[in-house]
Amino acid sequence: MAAAVLAVLVATLLVLARGGPAAAATEFVFPGFARANVTTSGAAVVTASGLLQLTNETNEVFGHGFYPAPVRFKDASTGAPLSFSTTFVVAIVPRYLDAHGHGIAFALAPSPTVPAAVAGKYLGLFNTSDNRGQGRSGVVAVELDTAKDEEFSDINENHVGIDVNGLRSVSSAPAAYVDVGTGSLVNLSLVSGKPLQVWIEYDGASMRLEVTVSPAGKPRPAVPIVSSTVNLSSAVADDTYIGFSRANGAASSSHYVLGWSFLLGGGRAPDIDLSKLPALPSSKKTMPRLLIVILVLAVVLVLVLVSGAVAVLVKRRRRFAEEEDWEIEYGPHRIRYKDLHAATRGFRDVIGAGGFGSVYHGVLRRSGAEVAVKKVSHGSRQGLREFVSEIASMSRLRHRNLVQLQGYCRRRGELILVYDYMVNGSLDKHLFDADNKPVLSWERRAKIVRDVAAGLLYLHEGWKQVVVHRDIKAANVLLDADMNGKLSDFGLARQYDHGSKPQTTHVIGTLGYLAPEMSKTGKATTSTDVFAFGTFLLEVACGRRPMERDDNLDSPGLVDLVLDRWKAGRIMDAKDPRIGVCDEADLELVLKLGLLCSHPDPRRRPSMRQVVQILEGAGTVPETPPKDLGSNNRLFYGYSESFDEFATIFLASETTTVTTQPSSSHSNDEQQERISG
Ligand SMILES: *[C@@H]1O[C@H](CO)[C@@H](O)[C@H](O)[C@H]1NC(C)=O
Ligand SMILES: *[C@@H]1O[C@H](CO)[C@@H](O)[C@H](O)[C@H]1NC(C)=O
Ligand SMILES: *[C@@H]1O[C@H](CO)[C@@H](O)[C@H](O)[C@H]1NC(C)=O
Ligand SMILES: *[C@@H]1O[C@H](CO)[C@@H](O)[C@H](O)[C@H]1NC(C)=O
Ligand SMILES: *[C@@H]1O[C@H](CO)[C@@H](O)[C@H](O)[C@H]1NC(C)=O
């Protein structure tokens, strides 16, 4: 009995010594909150496992978890602040590392629900008007701040601070701890998702508030990370509540308190047995199941798409690579189709059409150079390859009297050749369709003739291999802005044929320019070029086509016509009547040279070197026509046979030299096209 009375007495004395009735309830230890005495408000809940979860994943909410009974931090009789000690374990588990909200606070507040507070950066403790520290909100807090807020002069986005009646901390420091073992300062990430332990000690006598943090499980550091003097007597109300506060802003994260102990009136708060704390939800669980499903689906979808794209790319690459292998060496001359499409504005501006295809005008974007873009359709890949190789070697030929091939582009069965653009078009337009063009003077014509001779000589002798033009004619002589003559389309005729033997092709040159021996051998040589050049000379001097479309079939061809005049001693009668007064000697020279070049016997024709010498006045032509000149020409120029008969002879002779392919009907069409075109 006496013992019982004594016990009651001692208890009463103890209660009195601790400063009144309120102090009686203010020692507790909560290893987890399952059976703890806390009041939650806002979004805060105590989870089934016993975690105090302050906010859920909704934005712009706050949550409070407070001890339900008020605490008096003031000595009832003296009014002096009372010491307290508390420790707790928290974990901040961000949804996204780069957007994790504003942190968490341990707070002394006048109400366990802090009714005037707002969410976001005010931590659920203050509002927009009382956050600067001037207010009388009665709030003292220790913040674990994970956002750098300039408004509150925050030092960084990972710091510990002491707040008195406002969010502008009276003292703060980057989150760190002094390692007990090494004595060195170690940085601490507040948003690591791992449990942290915080110790707060307040000494009533010195009014020092000291805060220490460290990773949970490490020995308690001896040195506090941040401290400040706070007069709790004046800073907080008589009835003050203690607990945790946290608010979500635009970004949300999960803030948990795992355990908490508190002691008022001196001495250290009881230790928390960390092994008894509830486990944090596994990081998988924090992610909603729907999100996981969506993520998995998205990943699968992306994988499918990526592998599909890779497959397509690889396939395309392979398709191109197959052709690129052999094209590599022609690389510099390849032009991208895209660029050509842009240069020609989608192949709109047609400037010509020939046996090979259409020609378009274009301007290369990069250089601004004007170009003629020739589309050549080509069915056979085999032939195409040889064609491209020939074209590529042609593009290495450089002479001022050759139309420069800039490059080529190959797309599907189509070959596109890019040449320098010649403003004045082809010579035949000036010679024959001169309706709205001034008549070319002899001086101009003489210059063009010499230009073409120089270009052809270069093809025959100026290059490491002999290049036979195969299709010399006025239509293939182009004129630049200064009316300089330039040969175009060299090298085309040979490979244009769909894959037959290169030496013997069905379609060579243009009817009217074909040397007679072509019908027997089918071979184009420099000599057949000279023959065609001879016809070209006559064309220019006489202003007539080698065979007019409306010619009477019995009328003599151009060669015979001029030859007959020469034999009659009146060669100048053959001169183009539109040419007025001119250097008659020069014109006569050109006429005679034209006839010599058109000699039916290839051995009697001059070489291009001789031709150039004669044109330069360094060689001579005979006064009278050589006897055998023209004897054999009737077959080709006399039109004693109709074209069909001619074609029959021509093709028949050809079948003896070439293993004819089904494409011979095609070449017949081709022939037809060239003659009509
Ligand atoms: C919780 O605290 C209140 C107020 O002090 C008290 O009435 C209640 O009995 C406590 N409950 C427990 C389980 O400690
Ligand atoms: C989060 O808490 C708020 C406030 O209590 C509530 O309205 C909301 O439904 C909660 N959201 C979730 C996902 O639990
Ligand atoms: C802000 O909180 C204080 C108390 O701390 C209160 O007096 C004031 O009315 C609140 N202001 C607003 C705008 O809610
Ligand atoms: C620790 O944090 C401070 C401030 O945040 C920083 O200046 C320092 O470089 C950090 N030290 C280490 C070792 O990361
Ligand atoms: C602390 O605040 C109380 C109440 O305002 C005051 O009486 C006391 O003098 C203050 N103590 C100090 C050391 O300033």
Side-chain angles (χ1 to χ4, degrees):
M1 189 63 189
V5 170
L6 187 66
V8 169
L9 193 69
V10 167
T12 309
L13 278 174
L14 268 174
V15 164
L16 285 174
R18 283 188 180 185
T26 45
E27 173 175 355
F28 56 79
V29 52
F30 299 147
F33 292 84
R35 282 179 305 277
N37 212 344
V38 289
T39 304
T40 57
S41 63
V45 289
V46 173
T47 67
S49 63
L51 292 166
L52 171 59
Q53 180 183 6
L54 288 172
T55 52
N56 59 24
E57 290 183 341
T58 306
N59 290 347
E60 305 294 350
V61 294
F62 58 78
H64 298 122
F66 274 75
Y67 187 69
V71 178
R72 187 160 294 179
F73 287 94
K74 221 185 268 185
D75 186 287
S77 48
T78 65
L82 289 179
S83 302
F84 77 88
S85 164
T86 186
T87 179
F88 50 86
V89 177
V90 294
I92 302 176
V93 183
R95 259 170 108 180
Y96 315 106
L97 263 180
D98 52 348
H100 39 65
H102 301 270
I104 187 173
F106 169 80
L108 281 57
S111 151
T113 54
V114 205
V118 292
K121 62 186 173 187
Y122 306 106
L123 290 174
L125 289 174
F126 300 94
N127 61 32
T128 47
S129 60
D130 70 348
N131 58 62
R132 299 298 186 100
Q134 299 104 335
R136 304 294 311 158
S137 56
V139 173
V140 171
V142 171
E143 60 172 29
L144 305 183
D145 198 337
T146 56
K148 181 174 180 174
D149 207 314
E150 304 289 350
E151 185 187 343
F152 310 134
S153 312
D154 282 350
I155 50 170
N156 65 13
E157 55 165 31
N158 189 56
H159 64 270
V160 179
I162 296 171
D163 301 340
V164 178
N165 277 316
L167 283 168
R168 209 177 272 262
S169 303
V170 294
S171 179
S172 67
Y177 64 98
V178 178
D179 188 271
V180 174
T182 63
S184 61
L185 196 67
V186 180
N187 282 350
L188 188 65
S189 169
L190 298 177
V191 294
S192 66
K194 296 190 185 110
L196 312 170
Q197 187 161 8
V198 181
W199 294 268
I200 301 168
E201 308 293 345
Y202 182 71
D203 177 43
S206 66
M207 296 193 294
R208 287 300 287 177
L209 183 70
E210 295 179 342
V211 183
T212 309
V213 293
S214 94
K218 289 241 175 199
R220 177 180 177 158
V223 187
I225 189 70
V226 60
S227 63
S228 180
T229 302
V230 180
N231 186 346
L232 277 188
S233 292
S234 56
V236 297
D238 283 358
D239 280 346
T240 285
Y241 293 81
I242 51 175
F244 302 91
S245 181
R246 146 79 196 154
N248 281 345
S252 60
S253 47
S254 300
H255 288 63
Y256 300 100
V257 184
L258 294 82
W260 179 25
S261 73
F262 182 85
L263 172 66
L264 182 74
R268 285 209 169 161
D271 284 338
I272 301 169
D273 185 351
L274 297 183
S275 65
K276 288 195 179 141
L277 297 184
L280 285 171
S282 66
S283 53
K284 252 188 214 155
K285 237 178 165 180
T286 63
M287 207 186 271
R289 194 171 285 173
L290 184 67
L291 193 67
I292 296 172
V293 170
I294 289 174
L295 270 180
V296 167
L297 282 181
V299 165
V300 167
L301 191 70
V302 164
L303 279 181
V304 165
L305 286 180
V306 163
S307 54
V310 164
V312 166
L313 272 180
V314 164
K315 209 172 151 196
R316 273 185 67 162
R317 265 213 112 98
R318 209 174 282 159
R319 214 179 70 206
F320 280 115
E322 186 185 314
E323 290 160 351
E324 266 168 8
D325 282 346
W326 55 267
E327 279 187 306
I328 292 275
E329 52 183 306
Y330 319 128
H333 300 294
R334 292 186 62 200
I335 299 177
R336 287 192 307 172
Y337 184 80
K338 219 176 84 188
D339 294 344
L340 286 182
H341 197 270
T344 56
R345 292 179 300 134
F347 298 98
R348 274 202 216 136
D349 200 357
V350 181
I351 51 172
F356 294 111
S358 299
V359 187
Y360 306 85
H361 176 257
V363 179
L364 288 182
R365 288 277 155 85
R366 206 163 298 165
S367 58
E370 273 192 291
V371 288
V373 178
K374 184 172 286 195
K375 262 189 171 180
V376 182
S377 57
H378 199 290
S380 134
R381 173 168 288 206
Q382 191 61 43
L384 183 66
R385 183 171 166 163
E386 288 162 1
F387 193 18
V388 167
S389 110
E390 179 110 348
I391 292 308
S393 69
M394 290 306 135
S395 65
R396 286 185 212 121
L397 297 176
R398 263 160 220 278
H399 190 271
R400 66 193 153 80
N401 296 119
L402 297 181
V403 177
Q404 185 61 45
L405 180 63
Q406 293 286 0
Y408 77 96
C409 164
R410 187 188 38 70
R411 201 176 112 107
R412 304 205 183 101
E414 207 169 46
L415 191 76
I416 302 168
L417 304 173
V418 182
Y419 292 98
D420 283 348
Y421 176 68
M422 295 291 122
V423 184
N424 279 314
S426 62
L427 175 61
D428 62 333
K429 298 281 182 326
H430 293 264
L431 287 178
F432 311 126
D433 306 332
D435 299 341
N436 42 16
K437 291 193 178 77
V439 172
L440 280 181
S441 69
W442 177 249
E443 282 67 34
R444 282 250 152 90
R445 298 187 198 202
K447 167 79 166 51
I448 292 165
V449 156
R450 284 165 173 84
D451 284 345
V452 174
L456 192 52
L457 173 61
Y458 172 77
L459 287 182
H460 286 181
E461 296 182 19
W463 181 240
K464 64 185 172 206
Q465 71 214 57
V466 174
V467 178
V468 178
H469 186 288
R470 294 157 198 277
D471 204 7
I472 300 282
K473 57 178 174 178
N476 276 341
V477 172
L478 299 185
L479 302 172
D480 69 7
D482 301 323
M483 297 300 277
N484 294 309
K486 291 177 187 238
L487 262 175
S488 77
D489 272 3
F490 40 92
L492 275 190
R494 184 166 108 174
Q495 292 295 343
Y496 183 60
D497 184 23
H498 296 243
S500 65
K501 288 185 203 160
Q503 279 83 16
T504 50
T505 47
H506 340 258
V507 185
I508 332 123
T510 304
L511 196 62
Y513 300 85
L514 295 172
E517 73 270 19
M518 292 279 284
S519 66
K520 297 192 191 76
T521 63
K523 277 187 191 168
T525 61
T526 54
S527 188
T528 58
D529 268 358
V530 170
F531 183 92
F533 181 75
T535 311
F536 164 74
L537 289 183
L538 299 182
E539 237 181 325
V540 174
C542 306
R544 286 190 46 160
R545 296 179 193 277
M547 28 194 274
E548 296 291 349
R549 248 166 264 170
D550 50 357
D551 259 352
N552 182 331
L553 285 180
D554 290 330
S555 72
L558 186 53
V559 173
D560 286 318
L561 199 136
V562 180
L563 185 59
D564 289 348
R565 304 270 193 287
W566 192 4
K567 282 176 177 161
R570 298 181 291 115
I571 192 168
M572 285 307 283
D573 286 1
K575 158 187 162 184
D576 184 348
R578 290 169 300 175
I579 301 175
V581 183
C582 69
D583 181 348
E584 305 244 319
D586 190 44
L587 204 157
E588 189 177 326
L589 174 84
V590 167
L591 283 172
K592 287 177 177 174
L593 182 59
L595 285 177
L596 285 179
C597 291
S598 301
H599 200 290
D601 183 352
R603 291 162 303 178
R604 305 289 305 277
R605 291 173 209 150
S607 69
M608 276 319 291
R609 179 161 299 280
Q610 290 167 317
V611 167
V612 167
Q613 282 167 355
I614 291 168
L615 285 173
E616 282 168 359
T620 52
V621 289
E623 281 304 308
T624 52
K627 255 206 242 112
D628 48 358
L629 186 59
S631 60
N632 220 1
N633 277 346
R634 286 265 162 197
L635 176 61
F636 295 95
Y637 295 103
Y639 299 97
S640 48
E641 300 94 7
S642 70
F643 170 74
D644 284 344
E645 282 171 287
F646 167 81
T648 314
I649 295 165
F650 183 75
L651 293 171
S653 67
E654 190 212 54
T655 51
T656 60
T657 55
V658 179
T659 32
T660 313
Q661 294 161 359
S663 65
S664 58
S665 66
H666 176 95
S667 37
N668 204 352
D669 293 348
E670 197 62 48
Q671 192 71 40
Q672 203 95 41
E673 192 182 314
R674 290 171 147 261
I675 280 148
S676 59

